[in-house]
Amino acid sequence: MKFKAQLEELEQQTAAALAMGGEAKLAARREKGVLNARERLDVLLDSDSFFESGMFAKGIRPQVRHKTPADGKIAGYGRIEGREVSVVSNDFTTIGASSSAINGKKIRHIREVATERGMPMIFLGESAGARMPDRMGAPGRAMLGQDPAEYQRRRQTPWVSALLGDCYGSSTWYSCMSDFVVMRKGATMAVASSRVTSIAINQEVDPEELGGWRLHTGTTGMVDIAVDSDEEALKAIRTFLSYLPSSAKEAPPRVEVPEGSDAAAERILEVLPEERNSVYDVREVIRSIVDRDSFFELKARFGKSVSTGLARIDGRSVGVIANNTKFKGGAIDVDAMRKTTSFMVMCDSFNIPIVFLVDQPGFLIGVDGEKRGAPGRIINWMNAISLVSVPRISVIMRKSYGQAYLNMGGGRNSDEVLTWPTADLGFVDPHLGVHMLYGVKKEDDPERFEECLKELQQDSSAWALAELYETHAVIDPRETRSSLKRLLDVHAGDGIVGRHDLSVWPTSY
Amino acid sequence: MAELEVKSDITGTVWKILSKEGDEIQEDDTMIILESMKMEIPLSSTEDGVIKRIVVAEGDAVAEGDLILVLEV
């Protein structure tokens, strides 16, 4: 054979790269039921679609070159449902997939191609953080910060991250810039590892407490969903991307409507309680409006009084923002404000129309909220909704009280406002209003209370709103789906591309 | 087995207790109904588990962050 020696060398080099950090480490992962970096790519991508970039890259210092196949971060291009994506998969078996000069170059190249050619960027995270010996002293400083756009996020294309093990350093930073983050239970995301943190603060630190799934799905809101296995995490990435366009320059793909999608519309009346003081799970309402099985909830464990998620109506991607009275009676707390704003940022950046489902008694007022800067969060939300240039359609189901009426798309903050006959509009429940405005309690002076109530009470019905043309239609709740389909035809046509004024907003607040 | 403290996410009163100690609970099951802002607010489990202790009684006033019950998860 011609060029035998050279081709054999290619074969040997390839085998060495594919062996990653060695059989012992790979076997230990298999034992734990955790996929390795290359197996993860096999599960994530369409079969035989991966083209690797930088398989033969190695650590820059001669003393680590023999033990840094692909320099610990496997990069390249693949396809998901036939669409091109760029991907970086961290190989923890190769000195902890630590960040180095060479693998930094790989990430930069892949990221630039994703941006230039318009394809999503996927980070499969599991990394120890900076490769410390490379970063020591002034020379170490000189290796950093050579890419001024390294932490710049302009949302030209969607970014998604999976947290699949110990995630410190780059895996953490990229997650915090991503539009969707999935975490495997048992993984940790933090600035630095529990070991490094323990040494730095001279105190034992529990990794779960430092950065486990409960913390990030329930308290920080930086993780969208937590799952039990690597496979589920990778499947979630494929699902998320199915709702998004490949780049901000395109509308999301429109898909075929699953059979039976109209059948659930009747169920709304079953879900909605007749008693005003009873609550319900708004996700049941969402599921009866959107295409069958298309609701993909994001941040379900965070700021629960607002439910946010992607779904499809008539095959079109939509973002749903719905008050959930099941939690805190639907009163909007600071977490729910943060979550809603970041969700709008994502929808606006990627041309996804927004549907508001409104049933809320106002913002959750109290000392805790003020300490956490509630007024600032409320106005962030208002600023965002005013900048959104994708179609916004608001459906007032029951209550819409207080200033939050505007946050949920009231007035000119939506392109269309639909109202159910069950709607109840106003600034505050008049019974509470009498106490607030006149200082009269019913139990103290029933006569005066009734007098004041009469004075304060105004027509709060859907009809009064319709007369003022502040709602564009009053509809039977069972007609919500068909009305939204029609209005999306009007406002989204064959798919629209917005101005993306929110595309440079941060991902977390 | 870990213990998970379930706290009230709202200020109000305990209206109905639907579960008892030892009950097996699934994520999203309603265990207790609170009353606040003239609304019935269900307190649901965020995880599967078994109720180890219930520390409130019907009619009790609770503040946001008060312990309601302990789950074993």
Side-chain angles (χ1 to χ4, degrees):
Chain A
M1 193 171 75
K2 283 163 84 181
F3 305 112
K4 188 165 179 278
Q6 290 94 328
L7 291 173
E8 267 173 12
E9 179 163 21
L10 175 62
E11 222 168 89
Q12 282 160 12
Q13 292 266 7
T14 305
L18 295 179
M20 297 183 270
E23 187 43 38
K25 285 181 183 168
L26 295 173
R29 293 176 74 90
R30 274 198 297 275
E31 192 93 334
K32 283 199 290 180
V34 175
L35 298 180
N36 68 49
R38 291 186 182 277
E39 288 166 342
R40 284 171 181 165
L41 290 172
D42 290 342
V43 175
L44 175 71
L45 303 169
D46 295 351
S47 31
D48 296 327
S49 71
F50 185 54
F51 183 89
E52 186 161 352
S53 180
M55 183 189 262
F56 307 115
K58 291 190 171 65
I60 201 162
R61 283 178 305 117
Q63 47 287 38
V64 296
R65 241 165 246 167
H66 67 287
K67 56 172 185 177
T68 47
D71 205 16
K73 293 187 196 282
I74 298 157
Y77 316 109
R79 290 193 199 99
I80 289 182
E81 300 293 335
R83 293 197 288 163
E84 295 290 345
V85 297
S86 288
V87 60
V88 173
S89 181
N90 283 271
D91 169 19
F92 203 80
T93 67
T94 296
I95 55 174
S98 49
S99 296
S100 73
I102 301 300
N103 64 31
K105 263 173 89 173
K106 289 175 69 173
I107 294 180
R108 182 172 15 159
H109 175 67
I110 294 297
R111 206 183 58 208
E112 282 171 358
V113 173
T115 301
E116 283 303 310
R117 302 300 177 208
M119 52 179 136
M121 179 77 225
I122 301 166
F123 302 95
L124 303 182
E126 187 179 7
S127 60
R131 192 171 294 168
M132 236 179 246
D134 288 12
R135 298 282 172 92
M136 301 304 279
R141 300 291 87 186
M143 284 173 73
L144 281 171
Q146 298 310 296
D147 172 11
E150 190 174 359
Y151 302 116
Q152 186 183 77
R153 187 76 179 101
R154 305 181 72 88
R155 291 192 184 79
Q156 297 102 324
T157 76
W159 285 13
V160 303
S161 282
L163 301 165
L164 301 173
D166 286 333
C167 293
Y168 313 113
S170 71
S171 298
T172 294
W173 311 143
Y174 280 109
S175 290
C176 296
M177 291 190 284
S178 289
D179 304 295
F180 173 68
V181 182
V182 55
M183 186 172 203
R184 179 171 58 73
K185 291 178 186 172
T188 308
M189 173 174 83
V191 176
S193 72
S194 53
R195 196 174 147 266
V196 168
T197 309
S198 291
I199 294 168
I201 65 174
N202 198 20
Q203 201 177 300
E204 273 304 307
V205 178
D206 171 40
E208 267 310 301
E209 217 168 288
L210 184 72
W213 68 274
R214 284 191 185 89
L215 178 83
H216 288 307
T217 56
T219 307
T220 71
M222 292 199 291
V223 167
D224 290 288
I225 60 171
V227 296
D228 291 316
S229 66
D230 281 6
E231 287 84 351
E232 280 177 75
L234 300 165
K235 187 164 173 266
I237 292 177
R238 293 178 67 100
T239 304
F240 173 80
L241 287 174
S242 73
Y243 295 91
L244 270 83
S246 293
S247 96
K249 293 178 186 159
E250 306 162 15
R254 193 166 175 182
V255 308
E256 210 166 303
V257 183
E259 234 169 88
S261 288
D262 293 319
E266 295 283 324
R267 277 203 53 224
I268 289 187
L269 295 187
E270 285 166 40
V271 176
L272 197 70
E274 275 195 278
E275 307 77 29
R276 279 187 66 220
N277 60 351
S278 294
V279 300
Y280 55 97
D281 194 331
V282 79
R283 292 171 291 194
E284 294 299 310
V285 173
I286 298 171
R287 289 192 185 99
S288 61
I289 290 173
V290 302
D291 293 355
R292 191 161 57 86
D293 299 331
S294 75
F295 182 51
F296 185 63
E297 191 175 12
L298 301 172
K299 297 192 185 14
R301 293 169 52 88
F302 181 69
K304 293 177 183 178
S305 60
V306 175
S307 175
T308 55
L310 293 165
R312 290 191 189 90
I313 295 177
D314 212 11
R316 286 189 174 94
S317 294
V318 292
V320 181
I321 296 172
N323 303 119
N324 201 350
T325 54
K326 192 179 170 198
F327 302 103
K328 303 191 179 188
I332 302 166
D333 62 9
V334 168
D335 289 349
M337 294 168 198
R338 294 171 52 201
K339 153 171 152 176
T340 305
T341 303
S342 66
F343 185 69
M344 278 193 287
V345 166
M346 200 257 292
C347 292
D348 181 68
S349 299
F350 297 110
N351 313 312
I352 300 168
I354 299 172
V355 174
F356 294 92
L357 297 176
V358 189
D359 185 356
Q360 53 81 22
F363 297 116
L364 186 70
I365 51 174
V367 176
D368 182 57
E370 300 298 329
K371 278 185 187 162
R372 298 183 61 202
R377 317 287 176 194
I378 290 168
I379 290 305
N380 273 352
W381 177 338
M382 282 313 302
N383 193 10
I385 198 174
S386 77
L387 291 168
V388 163
S389 56
V390 291
R392 299 155 305 178
I393 304 174
S394 181
V395 181
I396 305 175
M397 304 183 295
R398 294 206 305 182
K399 270 191 203 129
S400 193
Y401 282 178
Q403 175 85 9
Y405 169 73
L406 304 177
N407 292 61
M408 287 303 293
R412 299 292 303 278
N413 294 298
S414 289
D415 298 284
E416 301 286 349
V417 179
L418 302 172
T419 304
W420 292 357
T422 46
D424 176 13
L425 291 312
F427 189 68
V428 64
D429 186 309
H431 294 81
L432 287 174
V434 168
H435 187 195
M436 289 168 182
L437 194 62
Y438 304 100
V440 182
K441 282 194 202 166
K442 193 174 184 179
E443 53 267 37
D444 297 341
D445 188 347
E447 216 167 287
R448 172 93 180 108
F449 184 87
E450 284 306 318
E451 233 170 75
C452 296
L453 188 63
K454 229 177 187 176
E455 207 169 303
L456 200 60
Q457 225 158 13
Q458 291 247 10
D459 189 349
S460 63
S461 71
W463 307 112
L465 200 69
E467 280 164 20
L468 297 162
Y469 195 49
E470 283 298 308
T471 180
H472 301 110
V474 180
I475 58 166
D476 181 329
R478 292 168 295 183
E479 287 166 8
T480 308
R481 176 173 164 82
S482 55
S483 304
L484 289 171
K485 275 159 76 170
R486 230 4 235 117
L487 288 175
L488 286 167
D489 284 341
V490 171
H491 285 274
D494 294 329
I496 57 119
V497 173
R499 289 192 313 267
H500 312 136
D501 290 345
L502 294 173
S503 65
V504 293
W505 279 37
T507 299
S508 61
Y509 295 83
Chain B
M1 281 288 191
E3 283 196 356
L4 184 75
E5 292 192 334
V6 179
K7 294 172 180 173
S8 176
D9 55 8
I10 201 149
T11 299
T13 51
V14 178
W15 187 53
K16 269 186 195 163
I17 297 179
L18 306 176
S19 310
K20 55 184 191 310
E21 289 173 5
D23 280 2
E24 267 187 44
I25 293 292
Q26 312 242 299
E27 186 177 338
D28 274 341
D29 279 358
T30 298
M31 303 175 290
I32 277 175
I33 301 179
L34 303 170
E35 200 268 325
S36 176
M37 300 181 300
K38 295 180 186 281
M39 307 263 278
E40 296 161 14
I41 317 262
L43 185 77
S44 313
S45 179
T46 52
E47 285 174 47
D48 296 352
V50 175
I51 298 185
K52 204 174 171 195
R53 276 199 316 279
I54 298 179
V55 303
V56 293
E58 288 182 1
D60 282 2
V62 291
E64 183 177 349
D66 281 0
L67 182 65
I68 302 289
L69 55 84
V70 178
L71 276 182
E72 211 164 52
V73 294

